[in-house]
Coordinates of all heavy atoms in Angstrom, one line a residue:
M2 N 121.0 58.7 97.7 CA 119.6 58.7 97.4 C 119.4 57.8 96.2 O 120.2 57.8 95.3 CB 119.1 60.1 97.1 CG 117.7 60.1 96.7 SD 117.0 61.8 96.7 CE 116.5 61.9 98.4
V3 N 118.3 57.1 96.2 CA 118.0 56.2 95.1 C 117.6 56.9 93.9 O 116.9 57.9 94.0 CB 116.8 55.2 95.6 CG1 116.4 54.3 94.4 CG2 117.2 54.4 96.8
A4 N 118.1 56.5 92.7 CA 117.8 57.2 91.5 C 116.3 57.1 91.2 O 115.7 56.0 91.5 CB 118.6 56.5 90.3
G5 N 115.7 58.1 90.7 CA 114.3 58.1 90.3 C 113.4 58.6 91.4 O 112.3 58.9 91.2
L6 N 113.9 58.7 92.7 CA 113.0 59.2 93.7 C 113.0 60.7 93.7 O 114.0 61.3 93.4 CB 113.5 58.8 95.1 CG 113.4 57.3 95.5 CD1 114.0 57.0 96.8 CD2 111.9 56.9 95.4
P7 N 111.8 61.3 93.9 CA 111.8 62.8 93.8 C 112.5 63.4 95.0 O 112.6 62.9 96.1 CB 110.3 63.0 93.9 CG 109.7 61.8 94.6 CD 110.6 60.7 94.2
R8 N 113.1 64.6 94.7 CA 113.8 65.4 95.7 C 113.0 66.7 95.8 O 113.0 67.5 94.8 CB 115.2 65.7 95.3 CG 116.1 64.4 95.3 CD 117.5 64.7 95.1 NE 117.9 65.6 96.2 CZ 119.1 66.1 96.3 NH1 120.1 65.8 95.5 NH2 119.4 66.9 97.3
I9 N 112.3 66.8 96.9 CA 111.3 67.9 97.0 C 111.8 68.9 98.1 O 112.0 68.4 99.2 CB 109.9 67.4 97.2 CG1 109.5 66.5 96.1 CG2 108.9 68.6 97.4 CD1 108.2 65.8 96.3
E10 N 111.9 70.1 97.8 CA 112.2 71.2 98.7 C 110.9 71.8 99.1 O 110.1 72.3 98.3 CB 113.1 72.2 98.1 CG 113.4 73.4 99.0 CD 114.2 74.4 98.3 OE1 114.4 74.4 97.1 OE2 114.8 75.3 99.0
V11 N 110.6 71.8 100.4 CA 109.3 72.4 100.9 C 109.6 73.6 101.9 O 110.5 73.4 102.7 CB 108.5 71.3 101.7 CG1 107.2 72.0 102.1 CG2 108.2 70.2 100.7
K12 N 108.9 74.7 101.7 CA 109.1 75.9 102.6 C 107.8 76.2 103.2 O 106.8 76.2 102.5 CB 109.7 77.0 101.8 CG 111.1 76.8 101.2 CD 111.5 78.0 100.5 CE 112.9 77.8 99.9 NZ 113.4 79.0 99.1
F13 N 107.9 76.6 104.5 CA 106.7 77.0 105.2 C 107.0 78.5 105.7 O 108.0 78.7 106.2 CB 106.4 76.1 106.4 CG 106.2 74.7 106.1 CD1 107.2 73.8 106.0 CD2 104.9 74.3 105.8 CE1 107.0 72.5 105.6 CE2 104.7 72.9 105.4 CZ 105.7 72.0 105.4
L14 N 106.0 79.3 105.6 CA 106.1 80.7 106.0 C 104.7 81.1 106.6 O 103.7 81.0 105.9 CB 106.5 81.6 104.8 CG 106.5 83.1 105.1 CD1 107.6 83.5 106.1 CD2 106.6 83.9 103.9
I15 N 104.7 81.7 107.8 CA 103.5 82.2 108.4 C 103.6 83.7 108.4 O 104.6 84.3 109.0 CB 103.3 81.7 109.8 CG1 103.1 80.2 109.8 CG2 102.0 82.4 110.4 CD1 103.0 79.6 111.1
D16 N 102.7 84.4 107.7 CA 102.8 85.9 107.6 C 102.1 86.5 108.9 O 101.6 85.8 109.8 CB 102.2 86.4 106.3 CG 100.7 86.2 106.2 OD1 100.0 85.9 107.2 OD2 100.2 86.4 105.0
A17 N 102.1 87.8 108.9 CA 101.6 88.6 110.0 C 100.1 88.4 110.3 O 99.6 88.6 111.4 CB 101.9 90.1 109.9
N18 N 99.4 88.0 109.2 CA 98.0 87.7 109.3 C 97.6 86.3 109.8 O 96.5 85.9 109.8 CB 97.3 88.1 108.0 CG 97.4 89.5 107.7 OD1 97.3 90.4 108.5 ND2 97.7 89.8 106.4
G19 N 98.7 85.5 110.0 CA 98.4 84.1 110.5 C 98.2 83.2 109.3 O 97.7 82.1 109.5
I20 N 98.5 83.6 108.1 CA 98.2 82.8 106.9 C 99.5 82.0 106.6 O 100.6 82.5 106.6 CB 97.9 83.6 105.7 CG1 96.5 84.3 105.9 CG2 97.8 82.7 104.4 CD1 96.1 85.3 104.9
L21 N 99.4 80.7 106.5 CA 100.5 79.8 106.2 C 100.7 79.7 104.7 O 99.7 79.4 104.0 CB 100.2 78.4 106.8 CG 101.2 77.3 106.5 CD1 102.6 77.6 107.0 CD2 100.7 76.0 107.0
H22 N 101.9 80.0 104.3 CA 102.2 79.8 102.9 C 103.2 78.6 102.8 O 104.2 78.6 103.4 CB 102.9 81.1 102.4 CG 102.1 82.3 102.5 ND1 101.3 82.8 101.5 CD2 102.0 83.2 103.5 CE1 100.7 83.9 101.9 NE2 101.1 84.2 103.1
V23 N 102.8 77.7 101.9 CA 103.6 76.5 101.7 C 104.0 76.5 100.2 O 103.1 76.6 99.3 CB 102.8 75.2 102.1 CG1 103.7 74.0 101.9 CG2 102.3 75.3 103.5
S24 N 105.3 76.3 100.0 CA 105.7 76.1 98.6 C 106.6 74.9 98.5 O 107.3 74.5 99.5 CB 106.5 77.4 98.1 OG 107.7 77.5 98.9
A25 N 106.5 74.2 97.4 CA 107.3 73.0 97.2 C 107.8 73.0 95.8 O 107.2 73.5 94.8 CB 106.4 71.8 97.3
R26 N 109.1 72.5 95.6 CA 109.7 72.5 94.3 C 110.5 71.2 94.2 O 111.3 70.8 95.0 CB 110.7 73.7 94.2 CG 111.3 73.8 92.8 CD 112.2 75.0 92.6 NE 113.4 74.9 93.3 CZ 114.5 74.3 92.8 NH1 114.4 73.6 91.6 NH2 115.6 74.2 93.4
E27 N 110.2 70.5 93.1 CA 110.9 69.2 92.8 C 112.2 69.7 92.2 O 112.3 70.4 91.2 CB 110.1 68.4 91.8 CG 110.4 66.9 91.9 CD 111.7 66.5 91.3 OE1 112.2 67.1 90.3 OE2 112.4 65.6 91.9
Q28 N 113.3 69.3 92.9 CA 114.6 69.9 92.5 C 115.2 69.4 91.2 O 115.9 70.2 90.5 CB 115.6 69.5 93.6 CG 115.3 70.2 94.9 CD 116.2 70.0 96.1 OE1 117.0 69.0 96.0 NE2 116.2 70.8 97.1
R29 N 114.8 68.2 90.7 CA 115.4 67.8 89.4 C 114.7 68.4 88.3 O 115.3 68.9 87.3 CB 115.3 66.3 89.4 CG 116.2 65.6 90.3 CD 116.2 64.1 90.1 NE 117.2 63.5 91.0 CZ 116.8 62.6 91.9 NH1 115.6 62.1 92.0 NH2 117.7 62.1 92.8
S30 N 113.3 68.5 88.3 CA 112.6 69.0 87.2 C 112.3 70.5 87.3 O 112.0 71.2 86.3 CB 111.2 68.3 87.1 OG 110.4 68.7 88.2
G31 N 112.4 71.1 88.5 CA 112.1 72.5 88.8 C 110.6 72.8 88.9 O 110.3 73.9 89.1
Q32 N 109.8 71.8 88.8 CA 108.3 72.0 88.9 C 108.0 72.4 90.3 O 108.5 71.9 91.3 CB 107.6 70.7 88.5 CG 106.1 70.9 88.5 CD 105.4 69.7 88.0 OE1 106.0 68.6 87.8 NE2 104.1 69.8 87.8
A33 N 107.2 73.5 90.4 CA 106.9 74.1 91.7 C 105.4 74.3 91.9 O 104.6 74.3 90.9 CB 107.6 75.4 91.8
A34 N 105.0 74.3 93.1 CA 103.6 74.6 93.5 C 103.5 75.3 94.8 O 104.5 75.2 95.6 CB 102.8 73.3 93.6
E35 N 102.5 76.1 95.0 CA 102.3 76.9 96.2 C 100.9 76.8 96.6 O 100.0 76.7 95.8 CB 102.7 78.4 95.9 CG 104.1 78.6 95.6 CD 104.4 80.1 95.4 OE1 103.6 81.0 95.8 OE2 105.5 80.4 94.8
V36 N 100.7 77.0 97.9 CA 99.3 77.0 98.5 C 99.3 77.9 99.7 O 100.3 78.0 100.4 CB 98.9 75.6 98.8 CG1 99.7 75.0 100.0 CG2 97.4 75.5 99.2
E37 N 98.2 78.5 99.9 CA 98.0 79.3 101.1 C 97.0 78.6 102.0 O 95.9 78.2 101.5 CB 97.4 80.7 100.8 CG 98.4 81.7 100.2 CD 97.8 83.1 100.0 OE1 96.6 83.3 100.3 OE2 98.5 83.9 99.6
V38 N 97.3 78.5 103.3 CA 96.4 77.9 104.3 C 95.9 79.0 105.2 O 96.7 79.6 106.0 CB 97.1 76.8 105.0 CG1 96.1 76.1 106.0 CG2 97.6 75.8 104.1
K39 N 94.6 79.4 105.1 CA 94.1 80.4 105.9 C 93.3 79.9 107.1 O 92.8 78.8 107.0 CB 93.1 81.3 105.0 CG 93.8 81.9 103.9 CD 92.8 82.7 103.0 CE 93.5 83.3 101.8 NZ 92.6 84.1 101.0
P40 N 93.3 80.6 108.2 CA 92.6 80.1 109.4 C 91.1 79.9 109.0 O 90.6 80.7 108.2 CB 92.8 81.2 110.4 CG 93.9 82.0 109.9 CD 94.0 81.9 108.4
T41 N 90.5 79.0 109.7 CA 89.1 78.7 109.4 C 88.1 79.5 110.2 O 86.9 79.5 109.9 CB 88.8 77.2 109.6 OG1 89.1 76.9 111.0 CG2 89.5 76.3 108.7
Y42 N 88.6 80.3 111.1 CA 87.7 81.1 111.9 C 87.1 82.2 110.9 O 87.8 82.6 110.0 CB 88.3 81.8 113.1 CG 89.4 82.7 112.8 CD1 89.2 84.0 112.5 CD2 90.8 82.3 112.8 CE1 90.2 84.9 112.2 CE2 91.8 83.2 112.5 CZ 91.5 84.5 112.2 OH 92.5 85.3 111.9
G43 N 85.9 82.5 111.2 CA 85.2 83.5 110.3 C 84.6 82.8 109.1 O 83.8 83.5 108.4
L44 N 84.8 81.6 108.8 CA 84.2 80.9 107.7 C 82.9 80.2 108.1 O 82.9 79.7 109.3 CB 85.2 79.8 107.1 CG 86.5 80.4 106.5 CD1 87.3 79.2 106.0 CD2 86.2 81.3 105.3
T45 N 82.0 80.1 107.3 CA 80.8 79.3 107.6 C 81.1 77.8 107.5 O 82.0 77.4 106.8 CB 79.6 79.7 106.6 OG1 80.0 79.2 105.3 CG2 79.4 81.2 106.6
D46 N 80.2 77.0 108.1 CA 80.3 75.6 108.0 C 80.3 75.1 106.5 O 81.0 74.2 106.1 CB 79.2 74.9 108.8 CG 79.4 75.0 110.3 OD1 80.6 75.4 110.7 OD2 78.5 74.8 111.0
E47 N 79.4 75.8 105.7 CA 79.3 75.5 104.3 C 80.6 75.7 103.6 O 81.1 74.9 102.7 CB 78.2 76.2 103.7 CG 77.9 75.9 102.2 CD 76.8 76.7 101.7 OE1 75.7 76.7 102.3 OE2 77.0 77.3 100.6
Q48 N 81.3 76.9 103.9 CA 82.5 77.2 103.2 C 83.6 76.2 103.6 O 84.4 75.8 102.7 CB 83.0 78.6 103.6 CG 82.1 79.7 103.0 CD 82.5 81.1 103.6 OE1 82.7 81.2 104.8 NE2 82.6 82.1 102.7
V49 N 83.7 75.8 104.9 CA 84.7 74.8 105.3 C 84.4 73.5 104.6 O 85.3 72.8 104.1 CB 84.6 74.7 106.9 CG1 85.5 73.5 107.3 CG2 85.1 76.0 107.5
E50 N 83.1 73.1 104.6 CA 82.8 71.8 103.9 C 83.2 71.8 102.4 O 83.7 70.8 101.9 CB 81.3 71.5 104.1 CG 80.9 70.2 103.5 CD 79.4 69.9 103.7 OE1 78.7 70.6 104.4 OE2 78.9 69.0 103.0
T51 N 82.9 72.9 101.8 CA 83.3 73.1 100.4 C 84.8 73.0 100.2 O 85.3 72.3 99.3 CB 82.8 74.4 99.8 OG1 81.4 74.5 99.9 CG2 83.2 74.6 98.4
M52 N 85.6 73.6 101.1 CA 87.0 73.5 101.0 C 87.5 72.1 101.2 O 88.4 71.6 100.5 CB 87.6 74.4 102.0 CG 87.4 75.9 101.7 SD 87.9 77.0 103.1 CE 89.7 76.7 103.2
I53 N 86.9 71.4 102.1 CA 87.3 70.0 102.4 C 87.0 69.1 101.2 O 87.8 68.3 100.7 CB 86.6 69.5 103.7 CG1 87.2 70.2 104.9 CG2 86.8 67.9 103.8 CD1 86.4 69.9 106.2
L54 N 85.8 69.3 100.6 CA 85.4 68.5 99.4 C 86.3 68.8 98.3 O 86.7 67.9 97.5 CB 84.0 68.7 99.1 CG 82.9 68.2 100.1 CD1 81.5 68.6 99.7 CD2 83.0 66.7 100.2
E55 N 86.7 70.0 98.1 CA 87.6 70.4 97.0 C 89.0 69.8 97.2 O 89.6 69.3 96.2 CB 87.7 71.9 96.9 CG 86.5 72.6 96.3 CD 86.5 74.1 96.3 OE1 87.5 74.7 96.9 OE2 85.6 74.7 95.8
S56 N 89.4 69.7 98.5 CA 90.7 69.1 98.7 C 90.7 67.6 98.4 O 91.7 67.0 97.9 CB 91.1 69.3 100.2 OG 90.4 68.5 101.1
F57 N 89.5 66.9 98.7 CA 89.4 65.5 98.3 C 89.5 65.3 96.8 O 90.1 64.4 96.3 CB 88.1 64.9 98.9 CG 88.1 64.7 100.3 CD1 86.9 64.9 101.0 CD2 89.2 64.4 101.1 CE1 86.8 64.7 102.4 CE2 89.2 64.2 102.4 CZ 88.0 64.4 103.1
D58 N 88.8 66.2 96.1 CA 88.8 66.1 94.6 C 90.2 66.3 94.1 O 90.7 65.6 93.2 CB 87.9 67.2 94.0 CG 86.4 66.9 94.2 OD1 86.1 65.7 94.5 OD2 85.6 67.8 94.1
K59 N 91.0 67.2 94.6 CA 92.3 67.5 94.2 C 93.3 66.4 94.6 O 94.2 66.0 93.9 CB 92.8 68.8 94.8 CG 94.2 69.2 94.4 CD 94.2 69.5 92.9 CE 95.6 70.0 92.5 NZ 95.8 70.0 91.1
A60 N 93.0 65.7 95.7 CA 93.8 64.6 96.2 C 93.8 63.5 95.2 O 94.8 62.9 94.9 CB 93.4 64.2 97.6
E61 N 92.6 63.2 94.7 CA 92.5 62.1 93.7 C 93.3 62.4 92.4 O 94.0 61.6 91.9 CB 91.0 61.9 93.3 CG 90.2 61.3 94.4 CD 88.7 61.2 94.0 OE1 88.4 61.4 92.8 OE2 87.9 60.9 94.9
E62 N 93.3 63.7 92.0 CA 94.1 64.1 90.8 C 95.6 64.0 91.2 O 96.4 63.5 90.4 CB 93.9 65.5 90.5 CG 92.5 65.8 89.9 CD 92.2 67.3 89.7 OE1 93.2 68.0 89.4 OE2 91.0 67.7 89.8
D63 N 96.0 64.4 92.4 CA 97.4 64.3 92.8 C 97.9 62.8 92.9 O 99.0 62.5 92.5 CB 97.6 65.0 94.2 CG 97.4 66.5 94.1 OD1 97.5 67.0 93.0 OD2 97.2 67.1 95.2
I64 N 97.0 62.0 93.4 CA 97.4 60.5 93.5 C 97.5 60.0 92.1 O 98.5 59.2 91.8 CB 96.3 59.8 94.3 CG1 96.4 60.2 95.8 CG2 96.5 58.3 94.1 CD1 95.2 59.6 96.6
S65 N 96.7 60.3 91.2 CA 96.8 59.8 89.8 C 98.0 60.3 89.2 O 98.7 59.5 88.5 CB 95.6 60.3 89.0 OG 94.4 59.7 89.5
A66 N 98.4 61.6 89.4 CA 99.6 62.1 88.8 C 100.8 61.5 89.4 O 101.8 61.1 88.7 CB 99.6 63.6 89.0
R67 N 100.8 61.2 90.7 CA 101.9 60.6 91.3 C 102.1 59.2 90.8 O 103.2 58.7 90.5 CB 101.7 60.6 92.8 CG 102.9 59.8 93.5 CD 102.7 59.8 95.0 NE 103.8 59.0 95.6 CZ 104.2 59.1 96.8 NH1 103.7 60.1 97.6 NH2 105.2 58.4 97.3
Q68 N 101.0 58.4 90.7 CA 101.1 57.1 90.1 C 101.6 57.0 88.7 O 102.4 56.2 88.4 CB 99.7 56.4 90.2 CG 99.3 56.1 91.6 CD 97.8 55.5 91.6 OE1 97.0 55.8 90.7 NE2 97.5 54.8 92.7
L69 N 101.2 58.0 87.9 CA 101.7 58.1 86.5 C 103.2 58.3 86.5 O 104.0 57.6 85.8 CB 101.0 59.2 85.8 CG 101.5 59.4 84.3 CD1 101.2 58.2 83.5 CD2 100.8 60.6 83.7
I70 N 103.7 59.2 87.4 CA 105.1 59.5 87.5 C 105.9 58.3 88.0 O 106.9 57.9 87.4 CB 105.4 60.7 88.4 CG1 104.9 62.0 87.7 CG2 106.9 60.9 88.7 CD1 104.8 63.2 88.6
E71 N 105.3 57.6 89.0 CA 106.0 56.4 89.5 C 106.1 55.3 88.4 O 107.1 54.7 88.3 CB 105.3 55.9 90.7 CG 105.5 56.8 92.0 CD 104.6 56.3 93.1 OE1 103.8 55.5 93.0 OE2 104.9 56.9 94.2
H72 N 105.0 55.1 87.6 CA 105.1 54.1 86.6 C 106.1 54.5 85.5 O 106.8 53.6 85.0 CB 103.7 54.0 85.9 CG 102.7 53.2 86.8 ND1 102.9 52.0 87.3 CD2 101.5 53.6 87.3 CE1 101.9 51.6 88.1 NE2 101.0 52.6 88.1
R73 N 106.2 55.8 85.2 CA 107.2 56.2 84.2 C 108.6 56.0 84.7 O 109.5 55.5 84.0 CB 107.0 57.7 83.9 CG 105.8 58.0 83.0 CD 105.7 59.5 82.8 NE 104.6 59.8 82.0 CZ 104.0 61.0 81.9 NH1 104.6 62.0 82.5 NH2 103.0 61.2 81.2
M74 N 108.8 56.3 86.0 CA 110.1 56.0 86.6 C 110.5 54.6 86.6 O 111.6 54.2 86.3 CB 110.2 56.6 88.0 CG 110.1 58.2 88.0 SD 111.3 59.0 86.9 CE 112.9 58.4 87.5
K75 N 109.5 53.7 86.9 CA 109.8 52.3 86.9 C 110.1 51.8 85.5 O 111.0 51.0 85.3 CB 108.5 51.5 87.3 CG 108.3 51.5 88.8 CD 107.1 50.7 89.2 CE 106.8 50.9 90.7 NZ 105.5 50.2 91.1
R76 N 109.4 52.3 84.5 CA 109.7 52.0 83.1 C 111.1 52.4 82.7 O 111.9 51.7 82.1 CB 108.7 52.6 82.2 CG 108.8 52.2 80.7 CD 107.8 52.9 79.8 NE 108.1 54.3 79.8 CZ 107.2 55.3 79.7 NH1 105.9 54.9 79.6 NH2 107.5 56.5 79.7
V77 N 111.5 53.6 83.1 CA 112.8 54.1 82.8 C 113.9 53.3 83.4 O 114.9 52.9 82.8 CB 113.0 55.6 83.2 CG1 114.4 56.1 83.2 CG2 112.1 56.5 82.3
R78 N 113.7 53.0 84.7 CA 114.7 52.1 85.4 C 114.8 50.7 84.8 O 115.9 50.2 84.6 CB 114.3 52.0 86.9 CG 114.6 53.2 87.7 CD 114.5 52.9 89.2 NE 113.2 52.6 89.6 CZ 112.2 53.5 90.1 NH1 112.5 54.7 90.2 NH2 111.1 53.0 90.4
F79 N 113.6 50.2 84.4 CA 113.6 48.8 83.8 C 114.4 48.9 82.4 O 115.2 48.0 82.1 CB 112.2 48.4 83.6 CG 112.1 47.0 82.9 CD1 112.4 45.9 83.6 CD2 111.6 46.9 81.6 CE1 112.3 44.6 83.0 CE2 111.5 45.6 81.0 CZ 111.9 44.5 81.7
L80 N 114.1 49.9 81.6 CA 114.8 50.0 80.3 C 116.3 50.2 80.5 O 117.1 49.7 79.7 CB 114.2 51.2 79.5 CG 112.7 50.9 79.0 CD1 112.2 52.2 78.3 CD2 112.7 49.7 78.0
T81 N 116.6 51.0 81.5 CA 118.1 51.2 81.8 C 118.7 49.9 82.2 O 119.8 49.6 81.7 CB 118.2 52.2 82.9 OG1 117.6 53.5 82.5 CG2 119.7 52.5 83.3
L82 N 118.1 49.1 83.0 CA 118.6 47.8 83.4 C 118.7 46.9 82.2 O 119.7 46.2 82.0 CB 117.7 47.1 84.5 CG 117.8 47.7 85.9 CD1 116.8 47.1 86.8 CD2 119.2 47.6 86.4
L83 N 117.8 46.9 81.3 CA 117.8 46.1 80.1 C 119.0 46.5 79.2 O 119.7 45.7 78.7 CB 116.5 46.2 79.3 CG 115.3 45.4 79.8 CD1 114.1 45.7 78.9 CD2 115.6 43.9 79.8
R84 N 119.2 47.8 79.1 CA 120.3 48.3 78.2 C 121.7 47.9 78.9 O 122.6 47.5 78.1 CB 120.2 49.8 78.1 CG 119.1 50.2 77.1 CD 119.2 51.7 76.9 NE 118.0 52.1 76.1 CZ 117.0 52.9 76.6 NH1 117.0 53.3 77.9 NH2 115.9 53.2 75.9
K85 N 121.8 48.0 80.2 CA 123.0 47.6 80.8 C 123.2 46.1 80.7 O 124.4 45.7 80.5 CB 123.0 48.0 82.3 CG 123.1 49.5 82.5 CD 123.1 49.8 84.0 CE 123.3 51.3 84.2 NZ 123.3 51.7 85.6
A86 N 122.2 45.3 80.8 CA 122.3 43.9 80.8 C 122.7 43.5 79.3 O 123.4 42.5 79.1 CB 121.0 43.2 81.2
R87 N 122.2 44.2 78.4 CA 122.5 43.9 76.9 C 123.9 44.3 76.5 O 124.4 43.7 75.6 CB 121.4 44.6 76.1 CG 121.2 44.0 74.7 CD 120.1 44.7 74.1 NE 120.8 45.8 73.3 CZ 120.2 46.5 72.4 NH1 118.9 46.4 72.2 NH2 120.8 47.4 71.7
T88 N 124.4 45.3 77.1 CA 125.7 45.8 76.6 C 126.8 44.8 76.6 O 127.5 44.7 75.5 CB 126.1 47.0 77.5 OG1 125.1 48.0 77.4 CG2 127.4 47.6 77.0
P89 N 127.1 44.0 77.6 CA 128.2 43.0 77.5 C 128.0 42.0 76.4 O 128.9 41.5 75.8 CB 128.1 42.3 78.9 CG 127.4 43.2 79.8 CD 126.5 44.0 78.9
L90 N 126.8 41.6 76.0 CA 126.5 40.7 74.9 C 127.0 41.3 73.6 O 127.6 40.6 72.8 CB 125.0 40.3 74.9 CG 124.5 39.6 76.1 CD1 123.0 39.4 75.9 CD2 125.2 38.2 76.2
H91 N 126.7 42.5 73.4 CA 127.2 43.2 72.1 C 128.7 43.4 72.1 O 129.3 43.3 71.1 CB 126.4 44.5 71.9 CG 125.0 44.3 71.5 ND1 124.6 44.3 70.2 CD2 123.9 44.1 72.3 CE1 123.3 44.1 70.2 NE2 122.8 44.0 71.4
G92 N 129.3 43.6 73.3 CA 130.7 43.8 73.3 C 131.5 42.6 73.1 O 132.6 42.6 72.6
S93 N 130.9 41.4 73.4 CA 131.7 40.2 73.2 C 131.6 39.6 71.8 O 132.3 38.7 71.5 CB 131.2 39.1 74.3 OG 129.9 38.8 74.1
N94 N 130.6 40.0 71.0 CA 130.4 39.5 69.7 C 131.3 40.1 68.7 O 131.6 41.1 68.3 CB 129.0 39.6 69.2 CG 128.1 38.5 69.9 OD1 128.6 37.5 70.4 ND2 126.8 38.8 70.0

């Protein structure tokens, strides 16, 4: 596996009420998140629309957070390469 790529463990569980439980854990950092997905029957159109709009709002936050993490990882990889490239120069002087 390439260094810096996230390693995410995802678990799916459907309980007796038909509710889907999804949990994810980034294995290196230990950061975890959980969500419940409930059937949409019995919900009004307005409730479903509100849930969809909230998911779009959260998606933007998630994308921003992912981009920030990706930029940090690029920076770390770049700095590591610079340090490795610099090491032989110091060793020969």
